[in-house]
């Protein structure tokens, strides 16, 4: 290979693989030896404004481009400590050398779609198969990262270009690459002065000298594909996202390993020792130095077996089994390897020097968090019922959570999405730090410039993609709580109500509407007329569906029974929305006449009796008709009983009729049958007050002529009474701290 084509007085075309340690190592040498006057780098030319900031920042960092023409598109150009591009920028900044990006601007998605990754061509697959290697990464490590360590810069360039030229010849022509290479060639001619170092992926390096020589121009049609309207920012990044194991195809598998390797000037023994010791220290594993040495020896042995000059990352991973196999922290060798791999990826977060280059959403986050006086790495408590400021702060944290930004974790207190005043009223949140969630903020940057913009866009997207009633009502609930609203939602929900016939889905949807009502009621907010209309429409649709229902399984029947009980409570206690009670009572009467019902009949009869629609004589007739002792009848009866008494405890105490019926029924059961329905019997009586339980036990005692009453004859000492008083006092004090007044 004639290197004069690539290295001469005016140009030094230096081929790299992005983030490669060996590329960075030889680039360091090339920079010192060649002493360029200008450095040109493969990177988006509309991001040249960030070059100085890149040099001053702490990697991992990334140029982040937001595509203006397509939704859900954010493009990253990451830089890590081992990235040749970062090495060059850092060197150029220190030596005050002019540096420019020469690739096309942040490009349109239509162009990106044409991109193909040459690493996974058929040619590479055949090489890997022939050499009996596991992957392209292992192939590259063996023949470049390891084999070239002791070679010269010329050796490195020749091998990189030879590999890239063969790969290029066996890769289909790509419009995407042709456009980029023409653009880079034009920029090289424009920027190049005496002694210009050009750093590009080896795949492009192969062709660039020829393009400059022939001076091929970009056509008008190709120019129209290029846009400079897209926005780009310099952002902090992290080793997890830069790892190719997490989906970034141009990345490196194990960033932390590469960083330590480059720091140690490619000294394998020194690197392996440092990593094995650091991993043991981090995980508090007591690993003697002899085990570290055993691990390194194993890595060297594996390298010989695999015909490698030196061990690499794959040998280091396999040697971790030898190093840590005696540790009590692991169950098997696979677990050792998986945990060790996570360590080799690393958990480092980058930091940009100039934060004004961050996307607007991050600026909004910083300002809003400062406004609410939320401190990083803290625990905050919010009394949202007594303070409007506390409620607004809580809503802000819920907004971040909705955007999957893990800035806070709620550990205690009311959930805004499901109000339950039995919960601790004061909310407690554990707050993390900005660096850990900044990439999550950036993931939302394409949605808008502020937190509220992003929420509006996400809600609209979810609404657009919703497919059923339950999803749309959940979106409505989010809108109400997060203070975002679009009238399109009401139209869509009403359409879903008309077309919905799954009663289980309708009931779940109704409960979500109740959550919305409870939220508005709790925080003294007016319920919108549109929501009242939706509740009425859904209420009528569900009752209409119940009237026509045929025999169903017990699980669904119990769900409908619980719903009827909730509706009854809602009608009697709610003064915000007036539901048609006449339709409700009519539905109960129809259910009562159905022969197959058990829990449905129980709740329907119970409600009608408490509202004086069914007389006592009719009640006992229905009760007698629903006590059956056959196999199906036992379950039928226990379900009927449970829902008959659920809101109707007085029937147990009015006279002895009902107790006698239950007593006689239980006497007819075998021991096996009794234990079969015992769980349901427990549910029947579990909600009784202690005094009611004592009163009921007295009734049962008298009916069965029992001489002893265990519940009544309890021997209580004076000390136990004093202790109980202390417990009650402590409980009342705790409730008052939570904002709940007792008694």
């Amino acid at each position: 290979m004639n290197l004069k084509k690539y290295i001469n007085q005016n140009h030094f075309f230096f081929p790299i693989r992005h983030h490669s340690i060996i590329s960075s190592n030889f680039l360091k040498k090339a920079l010192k030896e060649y002493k360029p006057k200008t450095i040109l780098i493969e990177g988006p030319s509309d991001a040249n404004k960030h070059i100085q900031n890149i040099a001053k920042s702490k990697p991992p960092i990334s140029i982040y481009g937001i595509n203006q023409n397509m939704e859900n598109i954010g493009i990253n150009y990451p830089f890590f400590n081992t990235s040749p591009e970062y090495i060059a920028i850092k060197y150029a900044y220190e030596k005050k050398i002019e540096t420019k990006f020469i690739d096309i601007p942040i490009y349109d998605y239509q162009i990106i779609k044409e991109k193909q990754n040459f690493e996974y061509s058929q040619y590479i697959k055949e090489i890997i198969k022939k050499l009996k290697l596991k992957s392209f990464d292992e192939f590259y490590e063996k023949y470049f990262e390891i084999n070239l360590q002791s070679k010269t810069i010329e050796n490195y360039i020749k091998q990189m270009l030879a590999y890239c030229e063969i790969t290029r010849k066996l890769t289909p022509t790509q419009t995407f690459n042709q456009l980029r290479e023409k653009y880079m060639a034009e920029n090289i001619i424009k920027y190049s002065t005496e002694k210009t170092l050009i750093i590009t992926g080896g795949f492009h390096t192969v062709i660039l000298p020829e393009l400059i020589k022939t001076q091929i121009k970009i056509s008008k049609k190709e120019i129209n594909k290029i846009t400079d309207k897209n926005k780009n920012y310099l952002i902090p990044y992290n080793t997890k996202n830069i790892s190719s194991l997490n989906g970034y195809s141009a990345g490196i598998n194990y960033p932390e390993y590469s960083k330590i390797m480059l720091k140690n000037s490619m000294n394998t023994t020194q690197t392996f020792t440092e990593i094995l010791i650091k991993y043991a220290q981090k995980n508090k594993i007591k690993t003697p130095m002899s085990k570290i040495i055993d691990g390194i020896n194993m890595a060297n042995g594996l390298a010989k077996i695999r015909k490698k000059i030196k061990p690499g990352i794959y040998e280091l991973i396999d040697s971790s089994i030898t190093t840590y196999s005696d540790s009590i922290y692991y169950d098997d060798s696979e677990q050792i390897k998986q945990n060790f791999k996570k360590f080799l990826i690393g958990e480092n977060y980058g930091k940009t020097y100039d934060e004004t280059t961050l996307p607007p959403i991050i600026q909004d986050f910083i300002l809003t968090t400062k406004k609410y006086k939320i401190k990083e790495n803290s625990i905050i408590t919010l009394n949202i019922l007594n303070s409007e400021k506390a409620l607004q702060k809580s809503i802000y944290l819920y907004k971040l959570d909705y955007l999957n930004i893990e800035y806070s974790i709620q550990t205690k207190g009311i959930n805004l999405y499901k109000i339950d005043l039995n919960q601790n009223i004061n909310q407690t949140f554990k707050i993390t730090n900005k660096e850990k969630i900044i990439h999550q903020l950036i993931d939302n940057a394409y949605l808008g410039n502020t937190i509220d913009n992003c929420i509006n866009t996400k809600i609209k997207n979810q609404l657009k993609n919703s497919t059923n009633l339950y999803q749309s009502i959940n979106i409505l609930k989010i809108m109400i709580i997060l203070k975002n609203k679009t009238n399109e939602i009401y139209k869509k929900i009403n359409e879903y109500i008309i077309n919905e016939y799954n009663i289980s889905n309708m009931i779940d949807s109704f409960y979500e509407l109740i959550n919305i009502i409870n939220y508005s009621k709790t925080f003294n907010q007016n319920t919108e007329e549109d929501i009242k209309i939706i509740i009425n429409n859904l209420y009528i649709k569900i009752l209409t569906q119940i009237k026509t229902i045929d025999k169903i399984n017990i699980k669904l029947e119990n769900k409908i029974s619980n719903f009827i009980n909730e509706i009854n409570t809602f009608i009697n206690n709610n003064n915000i929305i007036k539901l048609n009670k006449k339709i409700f009572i009519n539905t109960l009467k129809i259910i009562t006449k159905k022969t197959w019902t058990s829990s449905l009949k129980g709740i329907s009869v119970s409600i009608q009796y408490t509202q004086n629609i069914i007389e006592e004589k009719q009640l006992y007739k229905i009760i007698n008709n629903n006590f059956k002792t056959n196999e199906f009848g036992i379950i039928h009866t226990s379900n009927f009983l449970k829902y008959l008494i659920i809101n109707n405890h007085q029937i147990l105490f009015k006279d002895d009729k009902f107790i006698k019926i239950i007593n006689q029924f239980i006497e007819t059961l075998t021991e096996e049958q009794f234990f079969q329905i015992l769980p349901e019997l427990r549910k029947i009586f579990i909600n009784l007050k202690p005094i009611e339980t004592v009163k009921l036990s007295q009734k049962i005692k008298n009916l069965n002529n029992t001489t002893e009453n265990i519940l009544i004859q309890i021997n209580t000492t004076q000390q136990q009474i004093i202790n109980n008083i202390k417990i009650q006092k402590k409980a009342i004090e705790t409730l008052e701290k939570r904002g709940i007044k007792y008694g």
Side-chain angles (χ1 to χ4, degrees), residues 211-268:
L211 291 177
I212 291 168
K213 186 178 178 182
T214 56
Q215 295 192 347
I216 295 176
K217 299 288 183 182
I218 299 175
S219 67
K220 287 184 179 180
K221 186 179 178 181
E222 288 174 318
I223 288 173
N224 291 335
K225 286 187 176 183
I226 300 172
T227 175
D228 57 359
K229 294 179 181 178
N230 292 328
K231 297 177 181 177
N232 64 77
Y233 308 91
L234 187 68
I235 62 170
Y237 216 55
N238 57 65
T239 49
K240 182 180 176 182
N241 282 355
I242 210 170
S243 166
S244 59
L245 296 178
N246 288 278
Y248 172 55
S249 62
I252 43 179
N253 282 351
Y254 302 102
E256 184 67 15
Y257 165 80
S258 299
K259 176 183 164 186
I260 296 172
M261 189 73 167
L262 189 64
K263 183 199 76 174
N264 291 328
S265 303
M266 313 299 281
N267 185 312
T268 305

Side-chain angles (χ1 to χ4, degrees), residues 359-369 372 395-403 405 407 437 440-442 444-445 447-459 482 484:
I361 185 176
I362 297 177
Q363 306 296 339
D364 180 53
F365 166 79
I366 293 168
L367 290 172
T368 311
T369 305
Y372 287 123
I395 290 170
Y396 172 65
L397 295 177
Y398 269 72
K399 285 180 178 181
L400 296 176
D401 182 69
Y402 173 66
L403 294 173
I405 298 164
Y407 185 60
I437 55 94
Q440 295 171 342
L441 281 161
I442 290 160
N444 287 278
L447 293 171
N449 290 337
T450 66
I451 301 292
D452 284 334
N453 286 159
C454 292
I455 288 169
N456 282 331
T457 305
K458 185 172 180 178
I459 285 174
L482 301 187
N484 286 267

Side-chain angles (χ1 to χ4, degrees), residues 678-722:
L678 184 59
E680 297 302 324
L681 290 175
R682 284 171 60 85
K683 290 175 187 175
I684 292 170
F685 301 108
I686 202 166
N687 291 322
L688 293 179
K689 296 175 183 176
I691 191 69
E692 290 178 327
T693 305
V694 172
K695 190 176 178 182
L696 184 60
S697 67
Q698 184 67 53
K699 272 180 171 287
I700 296 168
K701 170 195 163 186
N702 294 336
L703 276 173
N704 293 282
N705 297 318
T706 306
T707 54
E708 294 183 3
N709 190 329
I710 298 169
L711 288 171
I712 292 173
Q713 294 180 1
I714 298 174
N715 294 320
T716 306
T717 65
Q718 187 176 0
Q719 186 58 47
Q720 285 173 324
I721 293 169
I722 293 168

